[in-house]
Amino acid sequence: MFQTIMHISLFIISISTALFIYRVLKGPTTPDRVVALDAIGINLVAITAILSIVLKTSAFLEIILLIGILAFIGTVAFSKYLEKGEIIENDRNNH
């Protein structure tokens, strides 16, 4: 029963990820695309966690952490780019 629930939830999250990919490609605005990319990162963490549970291994835990960190950094970088137009500011002379 538990394995069936895990497979069903893996299927539902995979469909959700496909819909987010559609939103990234067709999104009407750039912020919509950034939110969809962040949601894809969250879904990748969930898919990896469910696969780890189904396969009964803890080998994917580092991958889950890495995907989460990369998704967060990517979201912050995109948000800063949308707000200021640049990601890294090179102006050191202004205090």
Side-chain angles (χ1 to χ4, degrees):
M1 180 69 179
F2 182 73
Q3 292 291 326
T4 305
I5 293 171
M6 289 291 113
H7 289 301
I8 291 171
S9 55
L10 188 62
F11 178 71
I12 291 171
I13 293 173
S14 299
I15 290 174
S16 172
T17 304
L19 292 174
F20 284 132
I21 290 172
Y22 174 78
R23 176 57 58 201
V24 168
L25 296 175
K26 299 286 184 177
T29 64
T30 305
D32 289 334
R33 292 180 172 144
V34 171
V35 170
L37 281 173
D38 187 42
I40 288 172
I42 293 169
N43 280 358
L44 286 176
V45 169
I47 288 171
T48 309
I50 292 172
L51 280 176
S52 178
I53 292 170
V54 168
L55 297 176
K56 297 178 183 169
T57 182
S58 63
F60 297 125
L61 297 180
E62 292 87 9
I63 296 171
I64 291 170
L65 183 63
L66 182 66
I67 292 172
I69 290 170
L70 289 175
F72 174 74
I73 291 172
T75 302
V76 170
F78 276 126
S79 299
K80 187 171 180 185
Y81 176 75
L82 288 177
E83 182 179 335
K84 295 185 177 183
E86 61 181 339
I87 297 173
I88 300 173
E89 299 171 5
N90 292 324
D91 190 18
R92 293 185 179 185
N93 294 330
N94 292 339
H95 297 288

